[in-house]
Amino acid sequence: MFDKIIKENQFKTKCVIAIYLLIFVLIGLLVDIVRINASDLSEGFYQLLSLREFPVVTCALLLIAVLIVSFTIRNFKGILLSGNEYKEIIDGREANAQERELSKILDELVEVAHLPFRPKLFLMEAPFMNAFASGWKAENSLIAVTTTLVKNLTRQELKAVMAHELSHIRHGDIRLTLMVGVLSNIMLLVVNYGVYLFLGNSRERGANLARTILVVLQFVLPLLTLVLQMFLSRSREYMADSGAAYLMNDSTPMVLALQKISNNYTQSDFSQSDTNPTRSALYIFNPSEMFSTHPSIENRIKALLQK
């Protein structure tokens, strides 16, 4: 059952990524059509795709995306952990019983999952209950849990949360989240400013039509990227929840953990507590309701109880 769910969601994810890449290239080509002042839209696409006219803007966008992703990969730990005090729990060098217990839980999960690697483990000082995972590949992956989460969950519930985060790493979610985030931001930036890069009243119908499409995309693209991001992120959360239940061989600890984390946010307003917005899409729980990257706790619990 779990393998089937994971395969279905992975297929949906590939479809979303394909759509993102197509839109990304399309925007670059439209700006290039305006740049070369094409007389006809279809002829402009043909000239650019056949390299009769080199797609300068399209290639520049792809290069920028690669550079940003590369920078983020090299600096992701500092980016995601900044704003809070944190400590890495190093295997064999734990300072106290709590750290030894966290390390042991991670070892148990790695063994059950038959993984050839062990993610780095971080304990982050924070007044709210949450956790996240990151890393571009197995060798540099990490799991971070907040001190409040550790204090308020039972061992099995905490293990389920860590299993959820480990599942994100196993499924390759972090790479997808990073790539989609970079593509979305660059696309929105280019659409907002690309139409003004080559000002002038062109007499060529193709260039004017490309500029008109870019103007329309200024209004349509933010909504489209939001919908795609929500679909992608929510499907990954369901996958990670299923992965946690699979590793635990029981969905109950994950259900109880989600209930406690949700109640923690219901009882207190932590909107000003987290000074690092880059973590919001990675957390196991997102308190915002409308346009949240996460499905509702009710739907996640309902899905877990059906396993």
Side-chain angles (χ1 to χ4, degrees), residues 66-86:
V66 170
L67 291 175
I68 293 176
V69 169
S70 298
F71 173 82
T72 307
I73 291 171
R74 288 195 299 270
N75 300 278
F76 76 92
K77 186 179 80 172
I79 293 172
L80 292 174
L81 291 172
S82 65
N84 293 78
E85 292 185 14
Y86 62 88

Side-chain angles (χ1 to χ4, degrees), residues 106-116 166-167 170 246-247:
L106 181 57
D107 286 335
E108 291 172 1
L109 291 171
V110 168
E111 182 178 357
V112 171
H114 304 293
L115 297 180
L166 187 63
S167 295
R170 294 177 70 201
Y246 180 77
L247 291 175

Side-chain angles (χ1 to χ4, degrees), residues 175-195:
R175 293 190 296 271
L176 293 169
T177 302
L178 176 59
M179 189 170 83
V180 167
V182 170
L183 292 180
S184 296
N185 289 323
I186 294 176
M187 283 193 300
L188 293 173
L189 183 65
V190 173
V191 165
N192 287 334
Y193 295 101
V195 69

